[in-house]
Amino acid sequence: MTNHSIALIPGDGIGAEVLPAACEVLDAVGKRHGIAFTYERFDWSCERYLRLGSMMPEDGLESLRRHDAILLGAVGYPGVPDHVSLWGLLIPIRRAFGQYVNLRPIRVFEGLPSPVRAALPDAVDFVVVRENTEGEYSEIGGRMNRGRPDEMAVQQAVFTRAGVTRVLDFAFGLAERRGGRLTSATKSNGIVHTMPFWDELVAERSAGHPTVDWEQEHIDALAAKFVLDPARFDVVVASNLFGDILSDLAAAVAGGIGIAPSANLDPGGEYPSMFEPVHGSAPDIAGRGIANPIGAIWSAAMMLDHLGHPEAAAGITDAIAGVLATTPVRTRDLGGSASTAEFTSAVLQRL
């Protein structure tokens, strides 16, 4: 029996509803594959911020460090600015733990039609690799002359050779293991310093991966092609901002943001990686038991794969696919009437 210690951060809103569903599925598949999980729950959230003035305690990162992985529900609540919740919890974890890869798989499932006519089941199956710790989301910048007619804000993007190179090497390596195709998102015709630098490093790193066919696309054209011809893509690599936008667009193409998982990876394994659905806290439906658990369950499958259990991970994604393909069970965001518990039960039965 292999035992893994998992840090649970339910967070806000529906995070507290979808995370137990993911754990239930993990425990079920674990019994079949000789894997046990020990969970430690951390009540870090916007509610904590409103009570105590911080999203997590000062020793929060040290508390997480001793675990094998982190499973997060959702963060965000009305009354707490998004930049406060994000920079108070998610970004410190990503950066302190070297989680420089944000991985977003995109798949159109049979039985869950895409709003895009060209996105057919099993034809659309690609991955967005987003640089996760620098780029456009840097801390460098500031505000001047607040409240005056000449008020200004400056935000500096930061692209380092080390930071870009490591995420490109990860993306090229992933493309080698998948379909052998890589698309790089750029905007070097308009952003005259960082994007040409990015393009140069893509060309440089491609030399070490001669079996991968690669291309670069300007971000505006790439967004259009995600809609017009999503089946053409295999691995898409992008900067922090571009990857953030593209991956949400791709999730909508796949059928809805509620099904989208993500992984924040430290590929070297020195620190715990973090796994989370990307649907947000959805305060408008929180507490009603109707949240879609697919994103959280699929994120848990990604965690299993990262921890070295690919067969167990595939069992979970196959179960999700089986429920969607062979049953009418759907949560409300997918056009059905099933509760969170009912959809989770259907996945467990399929397992």
Side-chain angles (χ1 to χ4, degrees), residues 36-57:
F37 301 95
T38 301
Y39 303 108
E40 183 176 2
R41 179 185 172 115
F42 295 90
D43 188 21
W44 301 344
S45 62
C46 290
E47 181 182 352
R48 185 189 194 279
Y49 174 82
L50 292 173
R51 283 189 294 109
L52 302 175
S54 64
M55 295 291 294
M56 63 178 173

Side-chain angles (χ1 to χ4, degrees), residues 147-228:
R148 291 169 46 178
D150 58 346
E151 183 175 3
M152 64 180 292
V154 176
Q155 180 76 46
Q156 297 284 353
V158 175
F159 287 69
T160 67
R161 172 172 285 273
V164 176
T165 294
R166 65 187 183 183
V167 77
L168 292 178
D169 286 343
F170 180 93
F172 272 107
L174 183 60
E176 284 177 332
R177 299 189 298 274
R178 285 177 52 92
R181 292 176 288 116
L182 181 139
T183 303
S184 170
T186 186
K187 191 58 180 169
S188 50
N189 59 344
I191 301 175
V192 299
H193 297 302
T194 57
M195 284 293 100
F197 178 58
W198 173 280
D199 294 347
E200 292 165 13
L201 292 178
V202 173
E204 177 183 298
R205 304 316 293 179
S206 70
H209 304 272
T211 62
V212 176
D213 294 325
W214 67 278
E215 61 181 352
Q216 66 182 40
E217 293 274 5
H218 290 139
I219 182 69
D220 42 357
L222 184 55
K225 291 175 182 178
F226 266 26
V227 175
L228 296 173

Side-chain angles (χ1 to χ4, degrees), residues 87-168:
W87 283 88
L89 185 63
L90 295 185
I91 290 182
I93 293 172
R94 290 170 177 171
R95 296 188 174 183
F97 291 161
Q99 297 169 354
Y100 63 86
V101 170
N102 184 271
L103 199 62
R104 292 279 296 272
I106 306 298
R107 176 179 173 186
V108 175
F109 290 99
E110 183 180 352
L112 186 61
S114 166
V116 176
R117 284 180 299 177
L120 301 177
D122 298 326
V124 176
D125 184 355
F126 66 94
V127 179
V128 176
V129 177
R130 166 190 169 193
E131 198 289 315
N132 207 34
T133 58
E134 54 175 48
E136 302 88 350
Y137 293 177
S138 81
E139 297 179 75
I140 300 174
R143 298 271 294 273
M144 291 180 61
N145 305 327
R146 291 175 184 261
R148 291 169 46 178
D150 58 346
E151 183 175 3
M152 64 180 292
V154 176
Q155 180 76 46
Q156 297 284 353
V158 175
F159 287 69
T160 67
R161 172 172 285 273
V164 176
T165 294
R166 65 187 183 183
V167 77
L168 292 178

